[in-house]
Amino acid sequence: MDINTALPLVIRKPKVHGGLARGLHEAAKAIEQHNAHLCVLADDCDQPDYVKLVKAPCADQNVKVPRAPSAKTLGKWAGVSKISFLIY
């Protein structure tokens, strides 16, 4: 099973149970509160500040940061239309 097959399955469970943080603000908040286990970042995120804002705290907290092929695909997985990353 490759990463693009496994990630939607991993995202589905916290989405159903309300444990999925979506968007930059929710993601940063979850990382800082030590509630994040995984942070998925879109490959086509063109804001380097957003990438730094997510990756630096994730590195400090030992949170894995896999990449999704696109923001549109990540949005479909998370149940939103447009998003660059998410945390659960």
Side-chain angles (χ1 to χ4, degrees):
M1 181 179 289
D2 68 336
I3 190 85
N4 292 332
T5 307
L7 273 176
L9 300 175
V10 170
I11 291 170
R12 185 177 304 146
K13 188 172 182 177
K15 181 177 123 183
V16 170
H17 295 287
L20 188 65
R22 299 175 211 133
L24 180 62
H25 181 70
E26 288 183 28
K29 190 172 162 184
I31 294 167
E32 289 175 4
Q33 293 177 351
H34 303 276
N35 291 336
H37 300 284
L38 179 74
C39 176
V40 183
L41 189 63
D43 277 336
D44 62 352
C45 180
D46 58 352
Q47 298 291 331
D49 293 338
Y50 286 2
V51 175
K52 289 178 189 177
L53 185 64
V54 171
K55 281 191 169 186
C58 284
D60 291 341
Q61 306 290 334
N62 293 323
V63 174
K64 303 289 183 197
V65 186
R67 304 294 291 231
S70 70
K72 191 171 188 176
T73 303
L74 183 57
K76 286 180 185 177
W77 294 345
V80 295
S81 60
K82 184 178 178 183
I83 192 165
S84 295
F85 54 88
L86 55 97
I87 304 267
Y88 78 91

